[in-house]
Amino acid sequence: MDRVSCFLYSIHYNFTRNLSCREAVCLFILAVLVWILRKRGSWLAVAYSVFLIAYITLIRRAPEATGILLLQLRSWRNPGELASALLNMLLYLPLGVSGMRFWWTVRWWQREVQQTGEDRRCFRCAGWVLLLSGGTVFSLLCEVIQYRTGRGWADINDVIANVLGMVLGMILGSIHVKQITRFEPK
């Protein structure tokens, strides 16, 4: 029970340290607005996801102690570190979902070019590679900026958690897109 309470306290501490209640409400309202406007441009959700990550990890934080943390996956057994990893995964999840939806709209624009099944598989694979590498580079960039500006610790565990969140988001985005397109005429 002590580990559960430590885990929940860590989530609460990390959340309140990075966002005030007023900011969370404003970001939620902005997210709802983006969701309402999602049919006008799928790029809007990607832009909002990037803004959300940059706001929480870079803009919102005040300069404080900084340093570099090396790979320590064993530390995820600690409830506080596990909570931090989970929050990092959740932060990158919308970027994976919205990136996959955006890539799917690009795929529909390219429909005339892709007549064979092999071309479709190649295009889908290219989407996964581009989105995943873009998310990884963005995560690394955020960590480097945190370190250089003193707005946090450059932690390779955060990069791993961010990439895992991105992959999970891409999987959820793929499932969602396949469910939508199953009922569309071909």
Side-chain angles (χ1 to χ4, degrees), residues 22-36 48:
R22 206 176 293 159
E23 288 171 316
V25 168
C26 288
L27 289 172
F28 179 75
I29 290 170
L30 191 57
V32 169
L33 184 63
V34 166
W35 186 78
I36 290 170
Y48 176 73

Side-chain angles (χ1 to χ4, degrees), residues 72-87:
Q72 298 173 0
L73 291 179
R74 285 188 224 146
S75 68
W76 285 13
R77 286 187 249 164
N78 175 355
E81 292 294 324
L82 183 62
S84 177
L86 179 66
L87 289 174

Side-chain angles (χ1 to χ4, degrees), residues 70-162:
L70 301 175
L71 182 63
Q72 298 173 0
L73 291 179
R74 285 188 224 146
S75 68
W76 285 13
R77 286 187 249 164
N78 175 355
E81 292 294 324
L82 183 62
S84 177
L86 179 66
L87 289 174
N88 276 318
M89 288 169 140
L90 289 175
L91 186 60
Y92 274 74
L93 187 95
L95 183 60
V97 171
S98 61
M100 214 46 171
R101 288 181 53 91
F102 177 70
W103 185 257
W104 195 262
T105 60
V106 171
R107 182 172 180 254
W108 284 112
W109 291 339
Q110 302 288 330
R111 188 179 355 192
E112 295 82 27
V113 176
Q114 303 170 28
Q115 297 297 323
T116 65
E118 187 175 318
D119 289 340
R120 279 189 227 121
R121 280 191 300 275
C122 182
F123 192 76
R124 187 179 307 136
C125 183
W128 275 83
V129 169
L130 285 173
L131 289 172
L132 195 55
S133 59
T136 303
V137 168
F138 183 59
S139 177
L140 285 169
L141 182 67
C142 286
E143 294 297 324
V144 168
I145 292 172
Q146 281 180 345
Y147 175 71
R148 299 288 294 171
T149 61
R151 294 183 184 273
W153 291 81
D155 188 358
I156 194 69
N157 294 326
D158 287 351
V159 174
I160 293 169
N162 295 344

Side-chain angles (χ1 to χ4, degrees), residues 2-8 10-11 14 75-85:
D2 185 40
R3 292 178 64 85
V4 173
S5 63
C6 181
F7 177 76
L8 294 175
S10 296
I11 287 180
N14 283 322
S75 68
W76 285 13
R77 286 187 249 164
N78 175 355
E81 292 294 324
L82 183 62
S84 177

